[in-house]
Every structure is written in structure tokens, then in C-alpha cells.
Amino acid sequence: GAVSVGAEAGGVSLLGRPLLSATVEAPVGLCLKGDELTRAMLNTSTFRFLVEGTDAKMKPGIIGTRPGEHAEFCLDVSRLQPGEGFAALLGHMVSYEHMGKARVTCSGECSCAATDVDAYVKGGKFSVFKAHVLDLSRVRRRPGAALPPRPDCGCVLKATILPDSGSGEFKFKVLSLMTASKKGELKWGHQAGFNVRPTEPRSAKTEII
């Protein structure tokens, strides 16, 4: 007869062993997009959450529009050992108009090379998602350094709008943020964050610009 789910044969479960541990967490594993990004953003940030576009094609994200404006995102590195590396994917919009550049830096219990990200693409008429991947590593907090603003914020990833721009404008829009132990684990996230739509009616924080 048919074998029911959970039945055993010869003392061995037909379902086999679980693929993932029930008790061990991955060292890092953030995956946020749309308004979820506000959960990781510090209140010292000057970017804000907005939804652009029409109801048929709405594009939510964290947006800054002037040089010096910045967004600071918390990354939990508490399960990493000092010196252990990991990867972060910053999903952002690129477009043929309005866009500027942002400098991405790290602080706190992590380090990375400062990187300038240009969101302006000359020519064409398009606005699309692009993934910028960064290499980071866990470091020890310097003696006397300020404590993290909250327990899950040992590492702060900061994007600051620069004063130079190929478009003549300075908009920078963050669409998604991911972390993983290795770059290869981010490959399925390269389209995360752009084709997201709000599931609730518009509010004051989901205005169109």
C-alpha cells in the first residue's frame, strides 16, 4: 500500500535528515526591500521612504535628493568572528535622468573600502535596478569607541550623496539590502527590491514625487 508521510522503513525516516540545522543560524543573512529597509535604517538618516510612479507601476525605495544627505543601515555582525569576511548587496536604481552619485562606507565593527556608486546612465530612456556588491569584514570595536546604537547594529553601512553629478541632479534611491557569508549566496537577490509593490493604500509616507 501507499506509504504515509513520516513513515519509516527499517528504522530510517523516509524524509531523510533536514537540509538546514534547526538550531544553528547563518552568521549573516539580511534581506530587505521596499519599506522593510526602514527597519534597518537609523533615525539619524536624512533619506526617506517614498513610492514613485503610478499605481500600475509603483517603485518604493529609500530616497535622498541633495548633496550631503545620507542613509545609514544597520548590519548585524554579532555572529561573525573578528577578521571574518562577508558580502553585502546594495540594490539601487539607475536612470538616464535626475540621478547622482553616493559614496558607500562602513563603520563600527566592520570595515570595507569606500566606494562611489554612480546612479546616472547616459543615453536611453530607462530606470532599472542595479546591484552593487561590497566586500566587508568584521573588526573589533576600537577601545573607547561609542557603543552600537542598538544590539543588531554592530556594523553601519552608510550611503552619502556626493556633490558631483553627470545628470546635474543628485537623486539616489536604495531599493534593497542583503548580506551573506559569500558573494555567491547573493546571486538570487540581484533582482530583489525593484519590482516590489506596496500592499496597502498610499499614506503620507508613500507619496509620489
Side-chain angles (χ1 to χ4, degrees), residues 115-136:
T115 307
D116 292 350
V117 181
D118 195 346
Y120 171 64
V121 180
K122 186 177 181 179
K125 285 186 177 292
F126 57 85
S127 298
V128 296
F129 171 91
K130 186 173 183 180
H132 184 82
V133 179
L134 302 104
D135 292 306
L136 299 90

Side-chain angles (χ1 to χ4, degrees), residues 1-9 13-15:
V3 179
S4 62
V5 175
E8 295 185 350
S13 172
L14 296 177
L15 296 179

